[in-house]
Amino acid sequence: RAMELPPSHFPAARAAAVAVGYLRYLRGGPGRGLQLRELRRARRQDIDDVGHKYYLELELEDVLDKDRTVSCTAEVLYPLGSQTSAPDVQVTVQGELRSTEEADQEFYNRIRSLQKELVAENIPDSHGNVPPELEPIHLLAWVASGYVIWQNSTENTNFHLAQVKHVQQVKRSDEDLQFDYVVLLHEMVSQEVLPWEVTVLWHPRRGARVSRS
Amino acid sequence: IQLDFWLAPRGLGLPVDVRVPFRSLQAVKAHLEAAGVSYSIMIKDVQALLDEEQTEMRHRSRQLPLSTNTFNYEAYHTIDEIYSFMDMLVDENPNLVSKLEIGRSTENRPLYVLKFSTGGTNRPAIWIDTGIHSREWVTQASGVWFAKKIVQDHANNEGVASILETMDIFLEIVTNPDGFAFTHTTNRMWRKTRSKNSGSICVGVDPNRNWDAGFGDAGASANPCSETYHGPYPNSEPEVKSIVDFVKSHGNIKAFVSIHSYSQLLLYPYGYTNTPAPNAQELHEVSAKAVAALSSLYGTKFQYGSIITTIYRASGSTIDWTYNQGIKYSFTFELRDTGRYGFLLPAKQIVPTAEETWLALKVIMEHARDNMY
């Protein structure tokens, strides 16, 4: 009942983008940037009165640890007819992701010790540069945009983070770090590049929580 | 007082030029006035002049390389820098390279095509364009690299030198100059042309939906504010019309390659219909070979297939039109990367991207040469 799809073709690629967005939201952080290395297999099942379900086998890599890959399976269910409901995603990661405890703590301490709240724009800049000290902020934007991408994807969209237009740290009285982002998302089918406002709360042990401003 | 005579005293009645250090100014002025010697100030502040000259020289060494050998291929350039590169390339290689103006953009910028030819009359030709979508900066940058590479291969009698024995190469590097200028001055993410749309505040037409192949069908937008707006009618955009006119009047183009970024794909017609192109099988095989060649250099993985099956339905696109004109070997590339940097590909990836893409282009060019029709 599940139809095999060519992994190189767009329907599978779109579902994979949703799975990667979701996984970045769940498991990404300032010290971990997951990206798709290869989509190995994709199948689609049309479930009457429910929607279209994609079964994916993905190979991912951490941009900070490119010698290793991580295999993962995902199920992406686009609900029938609904443009307002987020796809349902289940992901299983095989094996362990590299620990980022040390990098996370270092980042946390560095930001907490800043005198002035961090502000930055255009990451990367027009020429593709990301200053090394802003790379964790860039990767945290992947977490934020991963959430937005997951929540707003349909079978007819394929989102990528184009640029962090603006990021403003907001100092908090509790232990979380807060960053208010304006991210530009590129949607490949319509080719639109649109700004989204996203707020991320992050803590080394509690991970990331995303809300919209 | 430390006077520094630039025109030393020569005799009575003859002028004298002297540089006076700042701290001695008052004393010297007072002395001259007391002695009734008239003077005028030629340069008020010599240091300022020197500083300005230093800046100018630094600027010039960065912005205006003296030759295509000192041009920085590992950086992104402005439209002026690229146009100046083209002129230098022609100057340095007048027997191989010439510059053609095929039209003017909406904002009246010249549309330049470089012609690489070792002679003959209207030889069968290969067309390559980059930068039709202005935000895809790695493509214009690669186009610059391709231009230099063709010249080098010819000089060293290797690579495409053999292709140039029987074919010409046409290369349009800045296919959408208005859009490109806009990405530098105002909006790095600008894609379309910069034509005004009557009845709308939104500007620009998608030059890759403006061709006369399935124009206006599903796969383009009728909304001027959309990034895939097809325009009021086919070839409404001078950037597109000039290529259409060129292709038709040349009449002997055998391979047509239009280069975009990003996604790492090699695509062939059609985008506007599910009907397979008559020689889709052959195009698929050429694509497989081209992609393998590309991948051999740095391991970069490309997918390939027809536009409509691989990315999406797109109407009015470039290679659908060129293919329907009879240009059998019509291909579109989507270069690096797959989304990590997207349009903002780091400059240090320009040369590796150009190098690997060139290997794929050679496969296509050689196939066209060896399968003349």
Side-chain angles (χ1 to χ4, degrees):
Chain A
R1 263 182 330 150
M3 204 176 67
E4 201 75 32
L5 298 175
S8 56
H9 289 185
F10 69 81
R14 291 176 198 179
V18 177
V20 171
Y22 178 76
L23 199 59
R24 281 180 178 169
Y25 166 58
L26 274 196
R27 305 296 301 270
R32 179 185 294 137
L34 294 169
Q35 84 179 350
L36 183 68
R37 182 177 289 189
E38 197 185 323
L39 177 61
R40 288 229 219 77
R41 190 179 176 204
R43 288 169 300 150
R44 191 184 95 208
Q45 183 187 21
D46 295 349
I47 306 172
D48 288 342
D49 300 324
V50 177
H52 297 160
K53 193 173 198 182
Y54 289 75
Y55 297 86
L56 308 170
E57 289 174 25
L58 311 117
E59 199 181 313
L60 303 170
E61 67 187 11
D62 181 350
V63 298
L64 298 180
D65 183 30
K66 289 178 106 155
D67 293 334
R68 268 210 286 168
T69 61
V70 171
S71 292
C72 122
T73 56
E75 289 173 17
V76 177
L77 169 61
Y78 296 101
L80 242 192
S82 176
Q83 296 296 320
T84 54
S85 181
D88 189 74
V89 186
Q90 310 287 326
V91 175
T92 310
V93 177
Q94 268 111 45
E96 287 294 306
L97 294 172
R98 180 186 60 98
S99 165
T100 59
E101 226 176 275
E102 214 182 291
D104 286 351
Q105 195 60 48
E106 206 187 290
F107 170 71
Y108 183 77
N109 294 340
R110 174 161 69 90
I111 301 295
R112 290 278 281 196
S113 67
L114 289 176
Q115 297 276 32
K116 287 200 314 175
E117 289 173 329
L118 182 145
V119 179
E121 316 196 292
N122 295 334
I123 308 168
D125 67 16
S126 284
H127 299 238
N129 295 321
V130 180
E133 69 274 12
L134 287 181
E135 185 62 16
I137 299 287
H138 188 208
L139 295 181
L140 209 49
W142 280 17
V143 176
S145 56
Y147 176 84
V148 176
I149 290 169
W150 163 43
Q151 289 290 305
N152 291 278
S153 288
T154 70
E155 267 175 305
N156 296 316
T157 63
N158 188 346
F159 285 101
H160 293 273
L161 173 64
Q163 190 182 39
V164 177
K165 200 69 197 147
H166 190 87
V167 58
Q168 166 80 57
Q169 181 200 357
V170 177
K171 284 201 183 202
R172 296 174 64 88
S173 51
D174 63 15
E175 302 224 311
D176 283 333
L177 300 181
Q178 177 179 337
F179 297 96
D180 292 349
Y181 284 96
V182 176
V183 292
L184 294 179
L185 294 188
H186 172 223
E187 200 289 290
M188 300 214 71
V189 180
S190 63
Q191 290 295 337
E192 301 297 330
V193 173
L194 295 172
W196 291 79
E197 291 182 337
V198 203
T199 291
V200 183
L201 298 178
W202 184 81
H203 182 275
R205 272 173 307 285
R206 278 194 292 273
R209 284 134 289 142
V210 168
S211 65
R212 228 93 66 79
S213 16
Chain B
I1 303 183
Q2 305 225 318
L3 297 180
D4 173 19
F5 288 90
W6 288 8
L7 187 63
R10 289 165 292 158
L12 280 176
L14 292 172
V16 163
D17 293 346
V18 55
R19 179 181 64 81
V20 182
F22 180 79
R23 63 182 178 286
S24 307
L25 262 180
Q26 287 314 312
V28 170
K29 277 183 176 176
H31 181 86
L32 290 174
E33 276 154 26
V37 178
S38 62
Y39 66 90
S40 64
I41 299 168
M42 296 167 75
I43 300 169
K44 215 163 151 197
D45 186 347
V46 173
Q47 188 59 55
L49 212 61
L50 286 173
D51 291 346
E52 212 189 284
E53 188 183 297
Q54 276 302 307
T55 315
E56 242 260 281
M57 282 170 61
R58 250 182 291 124
H59 250 254
R60 234 185 283 137
S61 76
R62 235 186 294 143
Q63 283 182 354
L64 292 177
L66 298 171
S67 77
T68 63
N69 289 326
T70 57
F71 186 88
N72 186 0
Y73 297 91
E74 297 178 358
Y76 289 111
H77 290 276
T78 62
I79 192 175
D80 289 338
E81 289 165 357
I82 295 177
Y83 279 15
S84 134
F85 162 84
M86 289 194 241
D87 288 338
M88 283 192 296
L89 195 71
V90 169
D91 282 347
E92 294 162 15
N93 305 278
N95 295 323
L96 179 66
V97 194
S98 54
K99 185 177 84 170
L100 314 172
E101 186 175 318
I102 62 168
R104 296 236 145 192
S105 68
T106 292
E107 292 175 347
N108 207 33
R109 290 184 174 82
L111 300 166
Y112 289 135
V113 173
L114 292 177
K115 175 183 180 182
F116 300 86
S117 179
T118 59
T121 311
N122 199 234
R123 279 182 176 168
I126 293 145
W127 168 282
I128 301 168
D129 65 73
T130 53
I132 193 170
H133 284 146
S134 38
R135 63 190 179 196
E136 299 165 5
W137 275 20
V138 73
T139 70
Q140 299 96 335
S142 294
V144 168
W145 188 93
F146 297 154
K148 181 62 173 170
K149 180 65 172 159
I150 295 170
V151 159
Q152 282 173 335
D153 274 9
H154 177 257
N156 299 325
N157 198 24
E158 61 187 11
V160 297
S162 61
I163 290 173
L164 286 168
E165 280 168 20
T166 53
M167 297 181 84
D168 292 342
I169 300 174
F170 292 98
L171 174 62
E172 185 173 10
I173 298 174
V174 189
T175 305
N176 178 4
D178 296 348
F180 190 52
F182 200 70
T183 60
H184 277 276
T185 57
T186 312
N187 181 356
R188 175 64 177 81
M189 296 293 172
W190 190 260
R191 163 188 169 91
K192 301 188 287 183
T193 62
R194 290 293 301 163
S195 51
K196 307 250 182 302
N197 294 310
S198 97
S200 174
I201 53 162
C202 293
V203 176
V205 166
D206 184 347
N208 199 22
R209 300 289 186 281
N210 188 239
W211 302 72
D212 199 358
F215 179 87
D217 291 351
S221 173
N223 180 352
C225 299
S226 164
E227 294 284 21
T228 56
Y229 174 49
H230 48 59
Y233 52 86
N235 307 329
S236 61
E237 303 313 283
E239 295 81 358
V240 170
K241 176 110 193 350
S242 56
I243 302 176
V244 168
D245 290 344
F246 179 84
V247 167
K248 282 181 162 170
S249 76
H250 186 280
N252 209 18
I253 295 177
K254 299 302 178 189
F256 191 105
V257 183
S258 192
I259 301 187
H260 292 254
S261 75
Y262 58 95
S263 282
Q264 293 175 201
L265 301 169
L266 176 49
L267 305 166
Y268 52 83
Y270 286 113
Y272 75 94
T273 172
N274 269 307
T275 307
N279 71 330
Q281 175 69 11
E282 182 189 5
L283 298 179
H284 199 77
E285 286 164 7
V286 175
S287 300
K289 236 181 123 193
V291 152
L294 186 153
S295 181
S296 70
L297 197 54
Y298 297 110
T300 306
K301 292 208 178 81
F302 267 56
Q303 309 292 346
Y304 57 98
S306 70
I307 297 169
I308 196 168
T309 57
T310 312
I311 29 167
Y312 40 54
R313 185 182 284 266
S315 62
S317 69
T318 309
I319 62 166
D320 283 359
W321 180 80
T322 59
Y323 185 79
N324 284 347
Q325 290 296 298
I327 302 175
K328 245 185 1 178
Y329 303 118
S330 290
F331 292 92
T332 280
F333 279 81
E334 293 278 356
L335 303 185
R336 292 193 193 181
D337 59 12
T338 54
R340 179 176 177 187
Y341 290 98
F343 300 122
L344 306 180
L345 195 71
K348 63 179 189 281
Q349 290 197 42
I350 293 171
V351 171
T353 300
E355 289 174 331
E356 66 192 10
T357 306
W358 189 243
L359 298 181
L361 286 171
K362 276 202 291 190
V363 167
I364 293 170
M365 292 194 276
E366 283 160 13
H367 187 88
R369 177 199 60 196
D370 299 340
N371 293 272
M372 221 19 101
Y373 58 96

